[in-house]
């Protein structure tokens, strides 16, 4: 499959600019928007690794900074799930208006606290978001909106990440949609162990490929 290279984009939202990296292959089957965790950015090496695997499946990807550089200096901003959700909603609407992405089925990939904003944004959009994947996520931070999530949702947790497993099990019970909880054996929270991040990427690629290709 021929592809375009990832290119930097500036996303203008209400008087501020968010930086992003957009990759669109030829004849994309959908687009996945990444919502990174606290203290991270669009340059997260783990999210970049997952994005490259998704791209090989024919998926477009957008990795972007949820906060401006000035905002990121304030620790509390990194955990403002309300703000981060609104940013993700705004960026989603931005893509829905762009020539090359407006007709693509949309999925969300959320990591750590970014999973909470992904699930809350999915609850906002309903069936317009075709799939959600959470990696080592904190879906418990979105419990009040969990019942509104209509998107098929995959929760991926490291087998050695005991506290986060418990939080994901609690959130899993609240989901009223197609769902799956996948536990990666031997992995800790950041999936640093050999082969574990690759397993995350493959699970995610299969989930998105299955659900973003589905015709209504």
């Amino acid at each position: 499959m021929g592809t375009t290279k990832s290119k930097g984009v500036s996303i203008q939202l209400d008087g501020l600019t968010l930086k992003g990296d957009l990759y669109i292959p030829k004849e994309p089957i959908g687009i996945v928007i990444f919502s990174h965790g606290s203290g991270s950015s669009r340059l997260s090496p783990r999210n970049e690794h997952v994005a490259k695997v998704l791209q090989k499946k024919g998926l477009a990807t957008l990795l972007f900074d949820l906060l401006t550089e000035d905002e990121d200096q304030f620790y509390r901003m990194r955990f403002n799930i309300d703000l981060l959700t609104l940013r993700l909603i705004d960026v989603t609407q931005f893509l829905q208006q762009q020539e090359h992405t407006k007709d693509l089925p949309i999925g969300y990939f959320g990591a750590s606290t970014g999973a909470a904003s992904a699930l809350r944004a999915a609850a906002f959009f309903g069936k317009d978001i075709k799939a959600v994947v959470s990696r080592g996520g904190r879906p418990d931070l979105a419990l009040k909106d969990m019942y509104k999530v209509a998107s098929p949702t995959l929760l991926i947790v490291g087998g050695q990440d005991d506290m986060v497993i418990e939080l994901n099990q609690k959130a899993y019970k609240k989901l009223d949609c197609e769902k799956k909880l996948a536990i990666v054996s031997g992995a800790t929270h950041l999936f640093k162990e050999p082969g574990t991040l690759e397993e995350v990427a493959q699970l995610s690629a299969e989930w998105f490929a299955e659900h973003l290709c589905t015709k209504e």
Side-chain angles (χ1 to χ4, degrees):
M1 176 183 291
T3 57
T4 59
K5 290 185 178 180
S6 181
K7 65 176 182 178
V9 293
S10 295
I11 304 169
Q12 307 293 328
L13 303 175
D14 298 327
L16 56 85
T17 301
L18 300 179
K19 296 179 180 178
D21 292 315
L22 177 65
Y23 179 100
I24 304 177
K26 290 184 178 179
E27 300 180 2
I29 62 174
I31 185 166
V32 176
I33 306 173
F34 283 71
S35 184
H36 61 73
S38 61
S40 190
S41 72
R42 72 186 191 284
L43 303 177
S44 161
R46 292 174 184 82
N47 284 352
E48 286 186 329
H49 177 83
V50 173
K52 288 177 181 177
V53 174
L54 300 186
Q55 291 159 11
K56 291 177 181 177
K57 285 280 191 179
L59 289 157
T61 59
L62 175 67
L63 291 85
F64 75 101
D65 292 334
L66 287 158
L67 300 173
T68 66
E69 290 182 5
D70 288 341
E71 289 172 338
D72 195 47
Q73 301 304 309
F74 298 95
Y75 186 76
R76 69 181 184 278
M77 297 287 280
R78 301 177 181 181
F79 292 89
N80 187 338
I81 305 301
D82 289 342
L83 173 64
L84 302 180
T85 300
L86 287 173
R87 291 282 167 83
L88 183 54
I89 289 171
D90 286 344
V91 168
T92 302
Q93 292 173 334
F94 169 84
L95 288 181
Q96 289 173 327
Q97 297 167 4
Q98 303 306 303
E99 181 66 27
H100 297 296
T101 55
K102 64 182 182 181
D103 296 323
L104 296 178
I106 298 171
Y108 288 149
F109 182 96
S112 191
T113 51
S117 60
L119 285 162
R120 290 185 63 184
F124 173 84
F125 283 109
K127 292 185 178 180
D128 285 346
I129 301 304
K130 303 305 180 185
V132 177
V133 174
S134 162
R135 170 182 65 81
R138 291 291 308 276
D140 56 295
L141 298 175
L143 281 183
K144 66 177 183 176
D145 294 309
M146 202 68 70
Y147 73 97
K148 294 186 286 187
V149 176
S151 317
T153 299
L154 171 63
L155 306 177
I156 306 175
V157 192
Q160 303 300 314
D161 199 4
D162 294 337
M163 184 185 77
V164 176
I165 289 176
E166 185 176 333
L167 295 173
N168 275 258
Q169 288 172 333
K170 183 178 180 180
Y172 183 81
K173 292 177 182 178
K174 295 282 188 181
L175 285 168
D176 187 23
C177 59
E178 181 179 348
K179 58 186 178 178
K180 181 178 179 180
L181 175 60
I183 298 183
V184 178
S185 179
T188 52
H189 185 61
L190 294 178
F191 298 90
K192 292 182 177 180
E193 295 73 25
T196 58
L197 187 60
E198 184 59 34
E199 185 171 346
V200 169
Q202 292 300 329
L203 287 168
S204 302
E206 291 167 7
W207 192 260
F208 286 126
E210 176 183 354
H211 295 289
L212 268 64
C213 291
T214 301
K215 300 296 183 182
E216 294 290 338

